[in-house]
Amino acid sequence: MIATEKVLEGLTQPAWDVARVREEFPVLRQTVNNRPLVYLDNAASSQVPQVVIERGSRYLQEEHSNIHRGVHYLSQRATTAYEGAREKVRRFINARESRECLFVRGCTEGINLVMHGYGRKFVGAGDEIVVSAMEHHANIVPWQMLCEEKGARLRVIPMNDAGELLLDEYEALLNERTKLVAVMHVSNALGTINPIKEMTSRAHKQGIPLLVDGAQGAPHLPIDVQDLDCDFYVISGHKMFAPTGSGVVYGKAEWLERMNPFLGGGDMIRTVTFEKTTYAGLPNKFEAGTPAIASQIGLGAAIDFLNGIDREAAHAYEQELLAYATEKLSAIEGVRLIGTAREKTGVLAFVIDEIHPHDVGTILDQEGIAIRAGHHCAQPVMKRMNVPATARASFAFYNTKAEADALVNAVQKVIEVFS
Ligand code: PLP
């Protein structure tokens, strides 16, 4: 466990040992532009711990082979490791069965899988899909494509100026034409944590299934899909300390069984003749072709890593760090935060009067600080907040207060440069 015990007035409280956890992430040891790297772009991709790197290279050195179809030793080892990763995912999100966990390359592919598998089968002309005003393009565009194809309509849950969804307006949008609610757990542009359990319960009261874009939820929050009771939960591995190319669609078996496959090809069939193909059972029906075996095994190793740390202490530490950076940054004259919801995690987005976020990002890079500048694949959020773009610092449990200070000092420097 990467947490030390701190005795406080007779109470034992876990404290997060950030120096120790940083040792697990080799990429953090480097300098950029002669400064220690300050990596604050975790919402785009988080870094990968040594154990995940080693697991990936062990697969390549000792186990590399195609899965499922081989009778030989290596294929069986690769299959065991791949299916073992699926079981780790199941436990991590508390799914009932591992066949409810489909491996995909990430959230984009995952949401497209649900769009093709569920949407094209169950959505028709005049039906409605409900998304929220803060969605990433990955949870807008596929539904728009579906609406265009089917003559269906996209409805949008509005949000307030702080970046919180308006739940009464959400409920008012739901009706007998609504075929799906698709909403993000945590906003990549604003940091808002959405009340998924409450939203699911309101959708289910009207018999409507709900999909969660969990890209930013899984890296920060404990995920219990049975407790959330969501119908789909989609994850990108590269945002939760695993390699790119890994990801998961959780879906309730009763939906997945009724859905059409997404891609057709090898490994997803039971029988094929030129007249007709019958499909394999779950999860294979949704995993055509050779998957990203090394990446998904890496995702399993990332889950092992997360199980080996004190996640509660990690989350408390992240929240403290976000509060610290928020206070310091918002005290700078000319800085305006974008996204001030009461329930937030991970993300600190801001604009500076008269200075374009790309200039902020470029100057910060010269200081060795990696942040992201732009619309963060959420152009409707930028429009709603009336900004062309934002600068976004996003945190993980390996970031430090000294790094938050470096961010704040560099922002002050940017303002001086432009004044
Ligand atoms: N949804 C959210 C909230 C995201 O932040 C991202 C990536 O930034 C995505 C979806 C898309 O994820 P991926 O690029 O891994 O497919």
Side-chain angles (χ1 to χ4, degrees), residues 43-44 106-109 111 136 138 184 186 188 213 215-216 236 238-239:
C107 273
T108 304
E109 184 176 305
I111 294 168
H136 186 283
M184 64 202 331
V186 173
N188 64 308
D213 170 354
Q216 305 294 339
S236 283
H238 68 99
K239 296 179 197 288

Side-chain angles (χ1 to χ4, degrees), residues 264-377:
D267 222 26
M268 52 76 75
I269 56 91
R270 187 158 282 136
T271 60
V272 178
T273 65
F274 285 111
E275 288 69 44
K276 186 172 171 57
T277 291
T278 57
Y279 303 128
L282 300 177
N284 304 55
K285 181 172 109 179
F286 290 99
E287 294 183 13
T290 301
I293 303 167
S295 296
Q296 304 295 13
I297 292 172
L299 175 60
I303 288 172
D304 286 342
F305 175 81
L306 288 170
N307 289 337
I309 66 172
D310 181 341
R311 286 196 82 201
E312 239 175 73
H315 183 63
Y317 172 82
E318 275 182 9
Q319 294 302 89
E320 195 186 311
L321 190 58
L322 181 63
Y324 176 82
T326 301
E327 192 186 327
K328 290 227 155 178
L329 200 67
S330 56
I332 302 175
E333 210 182 310
V335 170
R336 181 159 62 92
L337 303 189
I338 305 296
T340 50
R342 281 157 294 182
E343 298 293 331
K344 272 188 75 169
T345 193
V347 166
L348 181 50
F350 59 98
V351 290
I352 308 176
D353 289 345
E354 316 283 338
I355 307 175
H356 196 279
H358 281 133
D359 292 329
V360 180
T362 306
I363 297 175
L364 262 56
D365 178 56
Q366 286 161 12
E367 304 282 321
I369 302 172
I371 62 155
R372 188 148 290 240
H375 53 62
H376 316 293
C377 295

Side-chain angles (χ1 to χ4, degrees), residues 124-140:
D127 286 340
E128 297 179 355
I129 306 280
V130 171
V131 297
S132 89
M134 65 178 72
E135 295 311 310
H136 186 283
H137 298 164
N139 203 23
I140 300 173

